[in-house]
Amino acid sequence: MINSEAISKMKDGIKILNFARDVLIDESALKSALESGHVAKYISDFPNPISANLPNSIILPHLGASTEEAEDNCAVMAAIQLQDYLDNGNITNSVNYPDIHAGICETEARVAILHNNIPNMLSQITAFFGNNGLNIENLLNKAKGQYAYTLLDISHKMPEDTVERLKEINGVKRVRRVTERM
């Protein structure tokens, strides 16, 4: 992305900070620009044999998640987020699902539905609950690409076959009873 053409369009004395990836910058073009003074400083945390020896460069160690404390904190965070998903259906920092947080279920039941992100899905889902005499007290829906994730808090005990019947709706991929008071 940052090659000799891009560098030539930059103001003289520019400082380049690269904390993304080392391959984003053409290092031979960067070396020439640093030597000529067109680029005043280069700062990065991706050292390699070329960038580590460039004039006017500050190369930092790439340690973000490599410290013992950071790895412990990441493991604890992942465990907490997984437990929140299992207990409440909430999703945080997922690659494939949207972030969604409905808090702790305070109604009779909560159901989580993964479905296609297409028109009329929410209408079909809410109609299912209404047609079965089940009141939706809270509904959250978030989409990410072709899929959406819906959390519904229900004020009544759901019939045993609720999950199987919801799966019959065209476009519904997965259904899970998240919580239900006994």
Side-chain angles (χ1 to χ4, degrees):
M1 290 179 64
I2 309 295
N3 55 22
S4 57
E5 181 183 342
I7 292 171
S8 70
K9 295 177 182 177
M10 297 176 189
K11 293 179 181 181
D12 279 337
I14 189 82
K15 295 173 181 80
I16 298 175
L17 285 73
N18 176 15
F19 299 105
R21 294 286 179 258
D22 62 335
V23 295
L24 294 178
I25 298 186
D26 176 344
E27 292 193 333
S28 60
L30 178 64
K31 181 179 180 187
S32 298
L34 281 164
E35 288 172 347
S36 73
H38 184 73
V39 172
K41 288 276 184 212
Y42 175 65
I43 304 163
S44 179
D45 65 346
F46 287 93
N48 59 49
I50 296 173
S51 66
N53 296 305
L54 290 174
N56 297 318
S57 64
I58 300 171
I59 305 300
L60 307 167
H62 182 71
L63 296 177
S66 297
T67 65
E68 234 180 275
E69 294 86 357
E71 289 190 14
D72 287 348
N73 289 339
C74 286
V76 169
M77 178 184 69
I80 289 169
Q81 291 173 359
L82 179 60
Q83 191 67 55
D84 191 29
Y85 172 75
L86 294 172
D87 292 345
N88 301 299
N90 298 319
I91 298 175
T92 307
N93 297 323
S94 173
V95 173
N96 302 320
Y97 286 71
D99 282 1
I100 188 168
H101 195 275
I104 296 171
C105 181
E106 296 179 0
T107 60
E108 190 67 30
R110 178 174 286 169
V111 63
I113 304 171
L114 172 67
H115 53 87
N116 290 335
N117 184 20
I118 56 175
N120 199 33
M121 286 305 304
L122 288 179
S123 298
Q124 292 180 75
I125 291 167
T126 57
F128 169 87
F129 285 96
N131 292 338
N132 287 280
L134 299 168
N135 184 48
I136 299 169
E137 287 197 21
N138 189 28
L139 181 150
L140 271 81
N141 174 264
K142 294 274 185 102
K144 189 169 191 176
Q146 64 183 355
Y147 297 107
Y149 182 75
T150 302
L151 288 174
L152 300 108
D153 288 348
I154 309 301
S155 58
H156 299 89
K157 185 171 175 54
M158 296 184 295
E160 287 300 316
D161 64 347
T162 298
V163 169
E164 290 73 29
R165 290 176 52 215
L166 280 166
K167 287 180 183 177
E168 293 173 1
I169 298 172
N170 191 25
V172 169
K173 302 298 181 188
R174 289 197 176 110
V175 180
R176 179 169 75 98
R177 277 181 198 254
V178 178
T179 60
E180 188 156 16
R181 295 189 178 152
M182 299 296 162

